[in-house]
Structure formats: structure tokens, C-alpha cells
């Protein structure tokens, strides 16, 4: 099965300031990966480059075997719309649309037929337990519910990968746990590949792999394997301590 993302010697600089340095990273289909690092480590920049929002300065990135260097702006935009999903900390829902309309918006913009949109919608809203919210507007639901709606919108296009930027950052602990459990369910049920940028060790412990960045370079990575979520959480904290303290 083809690697979803592959990077070789990826670097990114802003002026004379190097932010990413020789990143070699591979993300396989169905992986649930967390990217962690202290403020300024380059984790958000890495996500922006991999999601084609920002341009790399050196090295190369392949997504589903396609080199980003070989793609023009129009092709990159279309590729991002069709093959990538996004979950943001601040939800990015449109207040004038219902929950259902927000979820279906990416398909509506691509002029999908109503029957196919409904067919895709049904299993996703069931997995995320938001069947009863479809007629509501964003200002009528909680933060946790908004993030589940955003998650549904991110995967309804059946993307190659979902990028989640601090998805639990605006949630209370109960809502964060519910969201993380449902992201794991999406990953398992639909084999959705998810890359999550987070400073939160608890959130990262729900992933299958954690990649640690410091000063723009990968300094460590660990795998959950057969460990329990609790044991993996302890291992993340231990690794965090070994590479230089808290990552927040």
C-alpha cells in the first residue's frame, strides 16, 4: 500500500531563520500520528508544509506518490480540496449554515449528487454520535459537538489524510476525551489517516505513534504497539522529559 506522506531532507526557512531542518518522515495509510514539540519547534510549520498551505524551502515531499514540487498552484489547491481534510482548534464552521450543511459543504462545492452526499453522511454522523444535531446551527451546540461536526466535515470527502491542528485545545477535559475516542473510532472504522499536531501528552496518548520535534528537527519517535493508552501516556511523558522538559 502506497505511503500517504513521504518527506526527504525537508527544510523550511523564513528569511535566514531555519524552522525545519532535514525532516525525513513517512506516514502510512491508516496511521494515527501525533506531532509534538515545544513552542517554536516547527510542528505547526511542518503541518502547513505537508498540507500544501506553505511552501517548502528544500528537500522534497510526496503525497500519495505525487511530488509537491511537480504540482502547480491550481493543482495543489485542487489536491488539497479533494485529498486532504482539516480539523482546526477553532472549528471553522459557518454560523449561517446548519450542522448538516456545514458537513456537506465540501461535497456541495464539488457538485456531488444529493444521494451520494446522504450515503456518505449517514455512517459518519453515526460514528461521531451527532445524528440529532443536523438541523441545529453552530451557535446552538457545545464546543465538543462543534469539533465533532468539524471532524465529520473533514472526512466526508474521504481524504488521503486528515490534519488536526490542536483539535482538543479549546475543549474541556470531558469533551476532549470524547473527541479523542471518536477520532480513534474514525481511524479504526474508516481507516482514516490522521496527523495531529498537539502540545497535549494526553491527546497524543490516543495515537499510534508520536513524533517529537525540537529546534526544527525530529529528535525522537515512539510507537504505542500493544501498550495501553495509560502506559503510552506515561511513556510520552518520560520521552518528553528526556528530550528537554515540557513541550507546551
Amino acid at each position: 500500500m502506497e505511503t500517504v506522506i513521504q518527506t526527504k531532507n525537508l527544510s523550511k526557512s523564513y528569511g535566514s531563520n531555519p524552522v525545519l531542518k532535514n525532516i525525513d518522515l513517512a506516514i502510512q495509510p491508516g496511521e494515527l500520528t501525533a506531532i509534538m514539540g515545544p513552542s517554536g519547534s516547527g510542528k505547526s510549520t511542518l503541518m502547513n508544509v505537508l498540507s500544501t498551505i506553505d511552501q517548502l524551502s528544500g528537500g522534497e515531499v510526496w503525497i500519495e506518490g505525487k511530488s509537491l514540487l511537480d504540482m502547480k498552484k491550481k493543482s495543489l489547491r485542487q489536491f488539497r480540496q479533494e485529498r486532504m481534510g482539516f480539523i482546526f482548534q477553532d472549528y471553522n464552521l459557518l454560523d449561517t449554515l446548519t450542522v448538516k450543511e456545514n458537513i456537506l459543504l465540501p461535497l456541495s462545492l464539488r457538485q456531488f449528487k444529493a444521494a451520494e452526499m446522504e450515503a456518505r453522511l449517514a455512517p459518519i454522523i453515526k460514528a461521531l454520535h451527532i445524528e440529532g444535531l443536523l438541523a441545529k446551527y453552530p451557535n446552538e451546540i457545545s464546543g465538543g459537538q462543534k469539533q465533532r461536526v468539524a471532524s465529520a466535515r473533514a472526512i466526508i470527502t474521504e481524504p488521503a489524510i486528515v490534519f488536526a491542528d490542536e483539535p482538543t485545545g479549546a475543549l474541556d477535559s470531558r469533551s476532549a476525551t470524547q473527541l479523542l475516542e471518536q477520532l480513534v473510532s474514525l481511524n479504526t472504522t474508516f481507516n482514516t489517516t490522521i496527523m495531529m499536531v498537539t502540545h497535549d501528552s494526553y491527546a497524543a496518548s490516543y495515537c499510534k505513534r508520536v513524533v517529537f520535534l525540537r529546534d526544527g528537527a525530529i529528535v525522537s519517535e515512539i510507537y504505542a504497539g500493544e501498550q495501553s493508552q495509560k502506559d503510552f501516556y506515561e511513556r510520552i511523558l518520560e520521552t518528553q522529559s528526556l528530550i528537554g522538559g515540557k513541550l507546551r
Side-chain angles (χ1 to χ4, degrees), residues 13-234:
S13 299
Y14 294 104
S16 60
N17 179 35
V19 181
L20 297 175
K21 306 168 188 173
N22 301 318
I23 300 288
D24 290 337
L25 179 68
I27 295 180
Q28 306 299 332
E31 278 197 318
L32 176 49
T33 303
I35 308 294
M36 298 192 73
S39 179
S41 63
K43 57 186 185 295
S44 294
T45 300
L46 177 61
M47 186 183 72
N48 289 341
V49 171
L50 296 182
S51 63
T52 77
I53 292 172
D54 207 348
Q55 293 182 321
L56 65 162
S57 301
E60 195 155 5
V61 178
W62 296 267
I63 300 182
E64 292 191 309
K66 298 181 176 67
S67 171
L68 297 189
L69 295 177
D70 294 338
M71 300 175 72
K72 304 298 184 184
K73 283 186 177 180
K74 184 177 180 180
S75 298
L76 281 173
R77 185 172 63 250
Q78 183 177 0
F79 190 76
R80 184 165 60 246
Q81 291 172 346
E82 295 180 1
R83 302 301 297 145
M84 297 179 182
F86 296 88
I87 304 172
F88 302 98
Q89 182 176 338
D90 58 358
Y91 322 123
N92 277 18
L93 301 178
L94 297 179
D95 292 336
T96 56
L97 300 182
T98 65
V99 162
K100 182 177 180 179
E101 290 167 341
N102 267 285
I103 296 170
L104 294 178
L105 182 61
L107 300 185
S108 298
L109 293 173
R110 289 165 57 188
Q111 299 182 328
F112 272 62
K113 293 181 178 179
E116 184 170 356
M117 289 196 288
E118 293 291 339
R120 289 195 183 193
L121 181 68
I124 293 171
I125 60 173
K126 182 179 180 181
L128 287 165
H129 307 297
I130 53 175
E131 303 101 311
L133 303 180
L134 296 185
K136 294 183 180 293
Y137 288 86
N139 65 357
E140 298 175 317
I141 61 178
S142 69
Q145 290 170 331
K146 288 178 184 178
Q147 200 59 297
R148 280 184 270 164
V149 172
S151 301
R153 181 187 57 192
I155 72 162
I156 199 154
T157 58
E158 298 177 356
I161 186 167
V162 171
F163 293 98
D165 186 8
E166 299 282 7
T168 62
L171 303 180
D172 59 55
S173 59
R174 180 172 176 271
S175 297
T177 297
Q178 289 176 340
L179 176 68
L180 291 165
E181 289 173 348
Q182 284 152 358
L183 287 179
V184 170
S185 176
L186 292 177
N187 171 255
T188 303
T189 303
F190 300 102
N191 202 39
T192 304
T193 308
I194 302 172
M195 191 183 101
M196 178 196 305
V197 168
T198 183
H199 67 264
D200 186 353
S201 300
Y202 179 71
S205 70
Y206 280 81
C207 296
K208 298 175 181 177
R209 173 170 64 145
V210 181
V211 177
F212 296 89
L213 294 185
R214 181 169 288 282
D215 298 327
I218 294 176
V219 292
S220 183
E221 59 181 296
I222 57 176
Y223 291 81
E226 299 302 316
Q227 296 173 92
S228 67
Q229 184 257 326
K230 181 177 181 293
D231 288 343
F232 193 42
Y233 172 66
E234 294 295 334

